[in-house]
Amino acid sequence: MFLFGFSIGEKAIKEEFNKDIAELNLQALKKGYDLVDTEISLKISEDKNILINGNRAVALGAIAAGCKFYCGYPMTPSTGILTFMSHHSNEMGIAVEQVEDEIAALNMALGASYAGVRAMTGSSGGGFALMVEALSLAGMIEVPVVVIDVQRPAPATGFPTRTEQADLQFVIYAGHGEFTRMVIALRDVEDAFYQTARAFNIAEKYQIPALLLSDQHLADSLKTVEPFDFDKITIERYISGEEAITEEEYKRYKITPTGVSPRILPGKIPGQVVLVDSDEHDEEGHITESAEIRKAMVEKRLRKFEYLKEEIQEPWFIGKENPENLVIGWGSTYGAIKEAVESLVDEGFSIGCLIFGDI
Protein backbone atom coordinates (compact mmCIF):
# COMPACT_ATOMS: atom_id res chain seq x y z
CA MET A 1 0.00 0.00 0.00
CA PHE A 2 2.71 2.47 1.01
CA LEU A 3 6.01 2.72 -0.83
CA PHE A 4 8.27 1.88 2.10
CA GLY A 5 11.35 -0.18 1.47
CA PHE A 6 11.40 -3.79 2.66
CA SER A 7 14.58 -3.00 4.61
CA ILE A 8 12.59 -0.94 7.14
CA GLY A 9 10.51 -3.91 8.25
CA GLU A 10 13.52 -6.21 8.04
CA LYS A 11 15.51 -3.99 10.40
CA ALA A 12 12.64 -3.78 12.92
CA ILE A 13 12.14 -7.57 12.99
CA LYS A 14 15.85 -8.29 13.44
CA GLU A 15 15.99 -5.87 16.35
CA GLU A 16 12.93 -7.36 18.04
CA PHE A 17 13.35 -11.14 17.65
CA ASN A 18 16.11 -13.68 17.99
CA LYS A 19 17.62 -15.22 14.84
CA ASP A 20 15.30 -18.22 14.33
CA ILE A 21 12.06 -16.38 15.04
CA ALA A 22 13.25 -13.38 13.03
CA GLU A 23 13.84 -15.56 9.97
CA LEU A 24 10.28 -16.94 10.05
CA ASN A 25 8.83 -13.46 10.43
CA LEU A 26 10.96 -12.15 7.59
CA GLN A 27 9.66 -14.89 5.29
CA ALA A 28 6.08 -13.98 6.19
CA LEU A 29 6.77 -10.30 5.73
CA LYS A 30 8.37 -10.89 2.30
CA LYS A 31 5.37 -12.88 1.06
CA GLY A 32 2.96 -10.19 2.18
CA TYR A 33 5.18 -7.44 0.77
CA ASP A 34 5.28 -9.06 -2.67
CA LEU A 35 1.47 -9.44 -2.79
CA VAL A 36 0.66 -5.77 -2.23
CA ASP A 37 0.61 -3.12 -4.95
CA THR A 38 1.88 0.35 -4.08
CA GLU A 39 -0.90 2.94 -4.21
CA ILE A 40 0.46 5.75 -2.04
CA SER A 41 4.03 6.98 -1.96
CA LEU A 42 5.18 8.32 1.40
CA LYS A 43 8.59 9.68 2.22
CA ILE A 44 10.21 8.90 5.52
CA SER A 45 10.99 12.04 7.48
CA GLU A 46 14.66 12.73 8.01
CA ASP A 47 14.18 14.81 11.14
CA LYS A 48 15.21 13.48 14.53
CA ASN A 49 12.06 14.43 16.43
CA ILE A 50 10.75 12.11 19.12
CA LEU A 51 7.21 11.02 19.99
CA ILE A 52 6.78 10.99 23.76
CA ASN A 53 4.21 11.35 26.53
CA GLY A 54 4.38 13.20 29.84
CA ASN A 55 5.16 10.18 32.02
CA ARG A 56 8.15 9.19 29.92
CA ALA A 57 9.34 12.80 29.83
CA VAL A 58 9.25 12.88 33.64
CA ALA A 59 11.20 9.63 33.81
CA LEU A 60 13.82 10.92 31.39
CA GLY A 61 14.10 14.16 33.38
CA ALA A 62 14.73 12.16 36.54
CA ILE A 63 17.36 10.04 34.77
CA ALA A 64 19.05 13.16 33.42
CA ALA A 65 19.14 14.61 36.95
CA GLY A 66 20.98 11.59 38.30
CA CYS A 67 18.10 9.78 39.97
CA LYS A 68 19.40 6.41 41.15
CA PHE A 69 16.38 5.12 43.08
CA TYR A 70 12.73 5.05 42.10
CA CYS A 71 10.00 3.17 43.89
CA GLY A 72 6.24 3.18 43.77
CA TYR A 73 3.02 1.25 43.86
CA PRO A 74 1.16 1.05 40.53
CA MET A 75 -1.68 3.57 40.42
CA THR A 76 -3.19 4.94 37.25
CA PRO A 77 -2.16 7.31 35.72
CA SER A 78 1.30 7.45 37.33
CA THR A 79 2.27 3.85 36.59
CA GLY A 80 3.97 4.72 33.30
CA ILE A 81 6.82 6.39 35.17
CA LEU A 82 7.42 3.26 37.26
CA THR A 83 7.33 0.92 34.26
CA PHE A 84 9.60 3.13 32.13
CA MET A 85 12.16 3.44 34.93
CA SER A 86 11.99 -0.31 35.52
CA HIS A 87 12.42 -1.11 31.84
CA HIS A 88 15.58 1.01 31.61
CA SER A 89 16.91 0.40 35.12
CA ASN A 90 19.81 -1.85 34.12
CA GLU A 91 21.17 0.32 31.33
CA MET A 92 20.79 3.48 33.44
CA GLY A 93 22.08 2.00 36.70
CA ILE A 94 18.92 2.79 38.64
CA ALA A 95 17.43 0.72 41.45
CA VAL A 96 13.67 0.41 40.88
CA GLU A 97 11.34 -1.20 43.41
CA GLN A 98 7.62 -1.93 43.29
CA VAL A 99 6.58 -1.67 46.92
CA GLU A 100 3.56 -2.92 48.84
CA ASP A 101 1.87 0.48 49.17
CA GLU A 102 2.47 4.22 48.91
CA ILE A 103 3.28 4.51 52.61
CA ALA A 104 6.29 2.29 52.03
CA ALA A 105 7.14 4.09 48.79
CA LEU A 106 7.92 7.50 50.25
CA ASN A 107 9.55 6.06 53.37
CA MET A 108 11.81 3.91 51.19
CA ALA A 109 12.69 6.87 48.98
CA LEU A 110 13.61 8.87 52.08
CA GLY A 111 15.87 6.05 53.22
CA ALA A 112 17.64 6.01 49.87
CA SER A 113 18.07 9.78 49.95
CA TYR A 114 19.40 9.66 53.52
CA ALA A 115 22.03 7.21 52.25
CA GLY A 116 23.05 9.73 49.60
CA VAL A 117 21.39 8.78 46.31
CA ARG A 118 18.88 10.91 44.46
CA ALA A 119 15.48 9.32 45.01
CA MET A 120 11.96 9.75 43.67
CA THR A 121 8.53 8.24 44.05
CA GLY A 122 5.16 8.91 42.50
CA SER A 123 1.47 8.12 42.55
CA SER A 124 -1.93 9.61 41.90
CA GLY A 125 -3.98 11.57 44.45
CA GLY A 126 -5.18 8.58 46.47
CA GLY A 127 -1.68 7.19 46.76
CA PHE A 128 -0.25 10.61 47.56
CA ALA A 129 -2.78 10.79 50.42
CA LEU A 130 -1.12 7.73 51.95
CA MET A 131 2.28 9.42 51.69
CA VAL A 132 1.33 12.43 53.78
CA GLU A 133 2.78 11.23 57.11
CA ALA A 134 6.08 10.40 55.41
CA LEU A 135 5.96 13.80 53.68
CA SER A 136 5.97 15.41 57.12
CA LEU A 137 8.83 13.11 58.06
CA ALA A 138 10.79 14.52 55.12
CA GLY A 139 10.12 18.00 56.46
CA MET A 140 11.28 17.08 59.96
CA ILE A 141 14.43 15.14 59.08
CA GLU A 142 15.26 17.52 56.19
CA VAL A 143 16.01 14.83 53.63
CA PRO A 144 15.57 15.82 49.97
CA VAL A 145 13.13 13.82 47.85
CA VAL A 146 11.10 14.29 44.67
CA VAL A 147 7.46 13.18 44.60
CA ILE A 148 5.05 13.38 41.65
CA ASP A 149 1.26 13.37 41.90
CA VAL A 150 -0.18 12.45 38.51
CA GLN A 151 -3.72 13.61 39.15
CA ARG A 152 -6.97 11.91 38.24
CA PRO A 153 -10.59 12.74 39.14
CA ALA A 154 -11.39 12.22 42.81
CA PRO A 155 -12.45 11.90 45.67
CA ALA A 156 -11.69 8.28 46.51
CA THR A 157 -11.20 6.04 43.48
CA GLY A 158 -12.79 8.65 41.23
CA PHE A 159 -12.19 8.13 37.50
CA PRO A 160 -9.00 6.06 37.21
CA THR A 161 -8.66 6.68 33.45
CA ARG A 162 -9.76 10.32 33.19
CA THR A 163 -8.08 13.64 33.92
CA GLU A 164 -8.64 16.39 36.48
CA GLN A 165 -6.65 19.09 38.28
CA ALA A 166 -8.16 18.86 41.75
CA ASP A 167 -5.13 18.15 43.98
CA LEU A 168 -3.50 21.58 43.94
CA GLN A 169 -4.59 22.76 47.39
CA PHE A 170 -3.96 19.29 48.82
CA VAL A 171 -0.38 19.13 47.55
CA ILE A 172 0.42 22.66 48.71
CA TYR A 173 -0.78 22.05 52.26
CA ALA A 174 -0.35 18.26 52.69
CA GLY A 175 1.33 17.17 55.91
CA HIS A 176 0.86 17.83 59.60
CA GLY A 177 2.77 20.81 60.89
CA GLU A 178 4.50 23.48 58.84
CA PHE A 179 7.58 22.94 56.72
CA THR A 180 8.94 24.22 53.43
CA ARG A 181 8.26 22.42 50.17
CA MET A 182 8.48 23.25 46.47
CA VAL A 183 5.47 22.63 44.21
CA ILE A 184 5.92 22.64 40.43
CA ALA A 185 3.08 22.07 37.96
CA LEU A 186 4.18 20.55 34.65
CA ARG A 187 2.80 22.29 31.55
CA ASP A 188 3.76 20.11 28.58
CA VAL A 189 6.14 17.24 27.80
CA GLU A 190 9.19 19.47 27.33
CA ASP A 191 8.41 21.25 30.57
CA ALA A 192 7.96 17.87 32.27
CA PHE A 193 11.48 16.84 31.31
CA TYR A 194 13.30 20.03 32.32
CA GLN A 195 11.28 20.78 35.46
CA THR A 196 11.66 17.25 36.81
CA ALA A 197 15.42 17.58 36.52
CA ARG A 198 15.26 21.02 38.16
CA ALA A 199 13.20 19.60 41.04
CA PHE A 200 16.05 17.31 42.08
CA ASN A 201 18.47 20.24 42.38
CA ILE A 202 16.00 22.31 44.39
CA ALA A 203 15.14 19.43 46.73
CA GLU A 204 18.79 18.81 47.47
CA LYS A 205 19.82 22.46 47.74
CA TYR A 206 17.19 23.20 50.39
CA GLN A 207 16.87 19.67 51.85
CA ILE A 208 13.11 19.65 51.26
CA PRO A 209 10.51 17.64 49.34
CA ALA A 210 9.97 18.88 45.80
CA LEU A 211 6.47 18.01 44.62
CA LEU A 212 5.52 17.74 40.96
CA LEU A 213 1.96 18.02 39.69
CA SER A 214 0.96 16.27 36.48
CA ASP A 215 -2.35 14.74 35.36
CA GLN A 216 -3.72 11.98 33.18
CA HIS A 217 -4.00 14.25 30.13
CA LEU A 218 -0.31 15.19 30.22
CA ALA A 219 0.82 11.76 31.42
CA ASP A 220 -0.65 9.80 28.50
CA SER A 221 -0.85 12.30 25.65
CA LEU A 222 1.76 11.80 22.94
CA LYS A 223 3.50 14.78 21.38
CA THR A 224 6.13 15.16 18.69
CA VAL A 225 8.97 17.30 20.00
CA GLU A 226 12.62 17.98 19.31
CA PRO A 227 14.94 15.69 21.26
CA PHE A 228 15.54 16.89 24.80
CA ASP A 229 18.83 18.67 25.33
CA PHE A 230 20.57 16.72 28.08
CA ASP A 231 23.41 19.24 28.00
CA LYS A 232 21.05 21.81 29.52
CA ILE A 233 20.68 19.66 32.63
CA THR A 234 23.17 20.34 35.40
CA ILE A 235 23.42 17.98 38.34
CA GLU A 236 24.03 20.10 41.43
CA ARG A 237 24.92 17.91 44.41
CA TYR A 238 24.78 19.75 47.72
CA ILE A 239 26.76 17.30 49.83
CA SER A 240 29.07 18.59 52.55
CA GLY A 241 32.55 17.28 53.25
CA GLU A 242 35.03 17.66 56.08
CA GLU A 243 34.63 21.45 55.93
CA ALA A 244 31.31 20.91 57.73
CA ILE A 245 33.13 19.60 60.82
CA THR A 246 33.95 22.83 62.61
CA GLU A 247 33.52 21.49 66.14
CA GLU A 248 34.16 18.19 67.87
CA GLU A 249 30.76 16.80 66.87
CA TYR A 250 29.03 17.19 63.54
CA LYS A 251 25.75 19.09 63.78
CA ARG A 252 23.31 17.68 61.25
CA TYR A 253 20.74 20.36 62.09
CA LYS A 254 23.05 23.26 62.71
CA ILE A 255 21.19 26.58 63.00
CA THR A 256 22.14 28.66 59.96
CA PRO A 257 20.96 31.98 58.50
CA THR A 258 19.38 30.21 55.51
CA GLY A 259 17.92 27.33 57.50
CA VAL A 260 19.95 24.85 55.43
CA SER A 261 22.37 22.80 57.53
CA PRO A 262 25.57 21.05 56.40
CA ARG A 263 24.69 17.61 55.03
CA ILE A 264 27.27 14.87 55.16
CA LEU A 265 26.41 11.32 54.20
CA PRO A 266 26.45 8.54 56.79
CA GLY A 267 29.68 6.55 56.79
CA LYS A 268 31.56 8.95 54.53
CA ILE A 269 33.64 10.82 57.13
CA PRO A 270 35.35 8.63 59.77
CA GLY A 271 34.29 9.35 63.33
CA GLN A 272 31.26 11.44 62.39
CA VAL A 273 27.73 10.25 63.16
CA VAL A 274 24.76 11.43 61.08
CA LEU A 275 21.64 11.36 63.24
CA VAL A 276 18.07 11.78 62.05
CA ASP A 277 14.93 11.57 64.17
CA SER A 278 11.24 12.10 63.54
CA ASP A 279 10.92 13.64 67.03
CA GLU A 280 11.92 17.23 67.49
CA HIS A 281 15.67 17.34 67.96
CA ASP A 282 18.60 19.59 68.75
CA GLU A 283 21.37 20.57 66.35
CA GLU A 284 23.14 17.23 66.74
CA GLY A 285 19.94 15.29 66.07
CA HIS A 286 19.18 14.20 69.64
CA ILE A 287 15.54 14.15 70.80
CA THR A 288 14.58 17.17 72.87
CA GLU A 289 11.66 18.47 74.93
CA SER A 290 13.08 21.99 75.12
CA ALA A 291 10.60 24.69 74.11
CA GLU A 292 13.51 26.99 73.26
CA ILE A 293 15.12 24.49 70.91
CA ARG A 294 11.74 23.63 69.42
CA LYS A 295 11.09 27.26 68.55
CA ALA A 296 14.55 27.65 67.02
CA MET A 297 14.15 24.51 64.89
CA VAL A 298 10.72 25.47 63.57
CA GLU A 299 12.06 28.89 62.60
CA LYS A 300 15.13 27.30 61.01
CA ARG A 301 13.03 25.02 58.78
CA LEU A 302 10.67 27.81 57.76
CA ARG A 303 13.57 30.18 56.95
CA LYS A 304 14.26 28.06 53.87
CA PHE A 305 11.06 29.38 52.34
CA GLU A 306 12.40 32.93 52.11
CA TYR A 307 15.44 31.71 50.16
CA LEU A 308 13.34 29.30 48.10
CA LYS A 309 11.47 32.32 46.72
CA GLU A 310 14.66 33.22 44.84
CA GLU A 311 14.25 30.03 42.79
CA ILE A 312 10.78 30.92 41.51
CA GLN A 313 10.44 31.17 37.74
CA GLU A 314 8.00 33.58 36.14
CA PRO A 315 4.85 32.12 34.55
CA TRP A 316 4.66 31.80 30.77
CA PHE A 317 2.86 34.69 29.06
CA ILE A 318 0.97 34.44 25.76
CA GLY A 319 -1.13 37.02 23.96
CA LYS A 320 -1.40 40.80 23.75
CA GLU A 321 0.88 42.97 25.85
CA ASN A 322 -1.05 44.88 28.54
CA PRO A 323 -4.29 43.10 27.67
CA GLU A 324 -7.73 44.18 28.82
CA ASN A 325 -8.49 40.56 29.77
CA LEU A 326 -6.06 38.17 31.43
CA VAL A 327 -6.56 34.42 31.74
CA ILE A 328 -4.75 32.62 34.58
CA GLY A 329 -3.94 28.93 34.38
CA TRP A 330 -1.46 26.35 35.58
CA GLY A 331 -0.10 22.99 34.55
CA SER A 332 -1.34 21.10 31.50
CA THR A 333 -4.18 23.55 30.77
CA TYR A 334 -1.39 25.43 28.98
CA GLY A 335 -2.12 23.90 25.58
CA ALA A 336 -5.87 24.53 25.57
CA ILE A 337 -5.52 28.06 26.96
CA LYS A 338 -2.76 28.91 24.48
CA GLU A 339 -4.88 27.80 21.54
CA ALA A 340 -7.93 29.71 22.78
CA VAL A 341 -6.00 32.92 23.51
CA GLU A 342 -4.20 32.88 20.15
CA SER A 343 -7.52 32.38 18.33
CA LEU A 344 -9.11 35.27 20.21
CA VAL A 345 -6.12 37.53 19.52
CA ASP A 346 -6.49 36.72 15.79
CA GLU A 347 -10.14 37.80 16.08
CA GLY A 348 -9.09 41.16 17.52
CA PHE A 349 -9.64 40.62 21.25
CA SER A 350 -7.31 42.24 23.76
CA ILE A 351 -6.46 39.14 25.77
CA GLY A 352 -3.45 37.42 27.27
CA CYS A 353 -2.73 34.57 29.62
CA LEU A 354 -0.31 33.60 32.36
CA ILE A 355 0.38 29.88 32.81
CA PHE A 356 2.05 29.08 36.10
CA GLY A 357 4.52 26.27 36.63
CA ASP A 358 6.03 27.24 39.99
CA ILE A 359 3.18 27.26 42.47
Side-chain angles (χ1 to χ4, degrees):
M1 191 74 179
F2 300 107
L3 187 59
F4 286 143
F6 179 78
S7 60
I8 295 175
E10 182 180 29
K11 180 175 182 291
I13 287 174
K14 287 182 176 180
E15 288 177 352
E16 189 69 25
F17 302 107
N18 64 39
K19 185 176 180 181
D20 293 338
I21 297 176
E23 185 59 36
L24 291 172
N25 279 275
L26 285 171
Q27 292 174 16
L29 178 65
K30 185 68 169 65
K31 289 182 178 180
Y33 189 84
D34 291 339
L35 289 171
V36 175
D37 293 328
T38 299
E39 293 185 10
I40 301 172
S41 178
L42 295 179
K43 291 184 179 180
I44 298 175
S45 173
E46 297 297 325
D47 64 43
K48 302 298 182 181
N49 289 345
I50 59 175
L51 182 66
I52 193 168
N53 64 25
N55 273 348
R56 293 189 171 195
V58 166
L60 284 175
I63 292 169
C67 177
K68 292 299 178 184
F69 183 81
Y70 186 93
C71 62
Y73 183 82
M75 185 175 187
T76 305
S78 69
T79 310
I81 302 172
L82 176 64
T83 55
F84 185 88
M85 296 288 264
S86 177
H87 184 73
H88 296 282
S89 59
N90 288 337
E91 61 187 294
M92 295 299 173
I94 302 171
V96 178
E97 179 74 13
Q98 179 179 320
V99 297
E100 62 268 32
D101 54 43
E102 291 84 357
I103 300 171
L106 184 47
N107 278 298
M108 193 176 286
L110 290 175
S113 182
Y114 166 71
V117 302
R118 288 194 156 183
M120 180 179 180
T121 185
S123 187
S124 186
F128 183 78
L130 292 175
M131 296 180 183
V132 169
E133 183 181 11
L135 187 68
S136 289
L137 175 63
M140 176 61 90
I141 65 178
E142 302 182 51
V143 169
V145 69
V146 176
V147 183
I148 185 166
D149 174 5
V150 186
Q151 302 163 96
R152 73 190 202 188
T157 309
F159 281 165
T161 58
R162 296 293 182 265
T163 197
E164 188 172 270
Q165 288 184 311
D167 295 351
L168 180 62
Q169 296 264 7
F170 177 42
V171 170
I172 291 173
Y173 297 110
H176 50 293
E178 295 179 284
F179 55 95
T180 303
R181 86 281 304 276
M182 181 67 170
V183 178
I184 304 173
L186 309 178
R187 289 164 283 202
D188 59 18
V189 294
E190 296 101 325
D191 198 46
F193 172 77
Y194 294 108
Q195 293 297 342
T196 299
R198 173 174 170 248
F200 278 90
N201 288 337
I202 290 175
E204 194 161 355
K205 182 177 181 178
Y206 295 95
Q207 300 172 20
I208 58 173
L211 310 178
L212 301 173
L213 275 167
S214 181
D215 52 63
Q216 189 273 332
H217 168 70
L218 175 56
D220 294 333
S221 293
L222 289 163
K223 183 180 178 183
T224 301
V225 297
E226 293 182 0
F228 301 136
D229 188 350
F230 282 75
D231 291 335
K232 288 184 178 180
I233 305 301
T234 57
I235 299 176
E236 301 168 5
R237 297 306 308 267
Y238 296 90
I239 306 296
S240 302
E242 293 190 1
E243 76 283 352
I245 317 303
T246 57
E247 301 174 25
E248 288 188 7
E249 189 174 77
Y250 165 64
K251 293 183 176 181
R252 173 62 187 92
Y253 301 105
K254 183 178 181 180
I255 303 292
T256 64
T258 63
V260 179
S261 305
R263 178 179 173 234
I264 67 173
L265 301 180
K268 289 293 184 180
I269 300 180
Q272 299 301 326
V273 178
V274 181
L275 295 177
V276 293
D277 202 289
S278 62
D279 286 73
E280 189 58 274
H281 40 256
D282 61 16
E283 288 182 287
E284 286 80 16
H286 299 294
I287 296 173
T288 182
E289 293 286 340
S290 166
E292 181 181 358
I293 295 175
R294 163 66 176 176
K295 180 175 182 295
M297 283 296 169
V298 170
E299 291 173 347
K300 164 192 141 50
R301 292 189 289 266
L302 292 180
R303 262 201 305 279
K304 298 177 186 181
F305 186 70
E306 295 305 314
Y307 292 88
L308 184 62
K309 289 178 182 179
E310 299 174 4
E311 304 285 347
I312 298 299
Q313 295 180 351
E314 294 291 330
W316 294 350
F317 178 78
I318 301 163
K320 287 278 190 180
E321 292 292 333
N322 302 312
E324 294 178 8
N325 304 283
L326 183 66
V327 178
I328 303 293
W330 60 274
S332 72
T333 56
Y334 162 69
I337 294 175
K338 177 177 182 289
E339 181 179 356
V341 167
E342 289 176 344
S343 295
L344 290 169
V345 168
D346 290 342
E347 293 175 19
F349 288 90
S350 177
I351 188 170
C353 67
L354 289 174
I355 309 297
F356 284 82
D358 287 359
I359 306 295

